[in-house]
């Protein structure tokens, strides 16, 4: 079989530019640092692990340091604080706040918009909003709101995915779905597990707020 190119340059121009910026950073790291060092710096700053060799990744797993290359709310918070303080020297407060929010959103998209990056971005934005409104930042409330937003986003994504269509077919007519080749038992088990996870997450957040069970 042969592959034929039908169209190109159909992706979002904004995302394409953001990925170009990301790749330029990575290439600059690779020029000035050894391979493992540049891969580690790319992981710390951009959450990028494509440059990790198996040996390097196994060494990080063995030392328990692989988690440091995963983007977290702490990393985004530092980035947001630095950007806000820097822009505050040159722009008005409201303008600096809006530009910082846009940069954080762009950074999350640039790093691939994975679940961990989206969660970190939401928590970083909540810190900015709390500081901007003069309210005290609450980690518990931030986690609860972040979890709510992620659950809503996942529900929208899953509904239009292959798994969502399998769940819908099983719900409408399980026998017909079985005849069409849908492994209904596996997908019912997955639905139960995902529902239990969301319920457990909500219970954990409630217990942390109430202080007792």
């Amino acid at each position: 079989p042969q592959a034929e190119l039908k169209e190109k340059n159909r992706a979002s121009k904004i995302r394409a530019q953001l990925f170009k910026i990301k790749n330029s950073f990575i290439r600059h790291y690779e020029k000035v640092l050894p391979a493992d060092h540049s891969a580690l710096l790319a992981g710390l700053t951009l959450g990028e692990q494509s440059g990790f060799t198996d040996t390097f990744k196994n060494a990080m797993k063995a030392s328990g340091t692989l988690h440091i290359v995963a983007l977290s709310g702490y990393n985004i918070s530092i980035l947001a604080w630095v950007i806000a303080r820097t822009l505050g020297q040159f722009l008005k407060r409201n303008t600096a706040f809006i530009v910082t929010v846009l940069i954080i959103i762009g950074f999350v998209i640039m790093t691939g918009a994975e679940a961990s990056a989206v969660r970190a971005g939401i928590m970083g934005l909540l810190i900015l909003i709390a500081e901007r409104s003069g309210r005290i930042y609450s980690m518990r409330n931030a986690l609860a709101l972040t979890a709510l937003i992620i659950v809503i986003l996942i529900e929208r994504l899953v509904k239009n995915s292959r798994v969502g269509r399998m769940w819908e077919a099983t719900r409408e007519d399980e026998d017909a779905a079985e005849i069409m080749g849908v492994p209904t038992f596996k997908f019912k088990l997955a639905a139960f597990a995902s529902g239990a996870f969301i319920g457990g997450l909500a219970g954990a957040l409630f217990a942390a707020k109430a202080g007792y069970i």
Side-chain angles (χ1 to χ4, degrees):
Q2 295 182 347
E4 181 181 354
L5 178 63
K6 294 292 186 179
E7 290 183 279
K8 64 179 181 179
N9 298 327
R10 297 284 293 176
S12 168
K13 293 183 179 180
I14 296 177
R15 292 188 65 181
Q17 291 300 320
L18 290 172
F19 286 139
K20 284 183 180 179
I21 295 172
K22 175 184 177 180
N23 292 331
S24 67
F25 273 109
I26 295 174
R27 286 195 298 269
H28 182 71
Y29 295 159
E30 292 172 347
K31 286 181 181 179
V32 300
L33 294 172
D36 287 345
H37 293 184
S38 64
L40 179 60
L41 184 58
L44 289 171
T45 57
L46 301 170
E48 179 63 42
Q49 300 185 23
S50 61
F52 286 16
T53 62
D54 292 337
T55 302
F56 184 62
K57 186 177 290 187
N58 291 333
M60 293 194 70
K61 287 181 179 178
S63 62
T65 55
L66 187 60
H67 66 279
I68 66 175
V69 297
L71 291 177
S72 64
Y74 181 73
N75 301 73
I76 299 292
S77 300
I78 294 176
L79 177 66
W81 186 85
V82 171
I83 293 173
R85 290 295 182 275
T86 303
L87 294 177
Q89 302 296 321
F90 308 99
L91 302 174
K92 295 181 179 180
R93 186 179 179 185
N94 290 339
T95 305
F97 172 77
I98 294 173
V99 174
T100 302
V101 169
L102 293 176
I103 291 176
I104 295 300
I105 294 174
F107 179 77
V108 171
I109 297 173
M110 183 179 68
T111 56
E114 297 180 355
S116 60
V118 173
R119 182 184 66 246
I122 293 172
M123 295 187 70
L125 291 176
L126 290 176
I127 291 177
L128 283 176
I129 294 171
E131 183 180 2
R132 178 69 180 83
S133 61
R135 295 178 178 272
I136 299 176
Y137 177 75
S138 170
M139 180 64 71
R140 182 180 62 239
N141 294 341
L143 284 172
L145 183 57
T146 302
L148 175 62
I149 294 174
I150 289 177
V151 167
I152 293 173
L153 291 176
I154 290 175
E155 187 272 335
R156 296 297 179 116
L157 292 174
V158 169
K159 186 175 182 180
N160 298 319
S161 69
R162 175 177 174 270
V163 175
R165 291 191 292 271
M166 295 290 188
W167 279 343
E168 188 173 358
T170 303
R171 182 195 64 191
E172 295 298 329
D173 193 328
E174 186 174 345
D175 293 333
E178 283 278 5
I179 294 173
M180 295 297 293
V182 177
T184 56
F185 175 78
K186 182 176 73 173
F187 281 98
K188 285 195 294 184
L189 191 62
F192 173 79
S194 60
F197 167 76
I198 295 173
L201 177 63
L205 292 172
F206 174 77
K209 181 177 179 59
Y212 63 90
I213 300 177

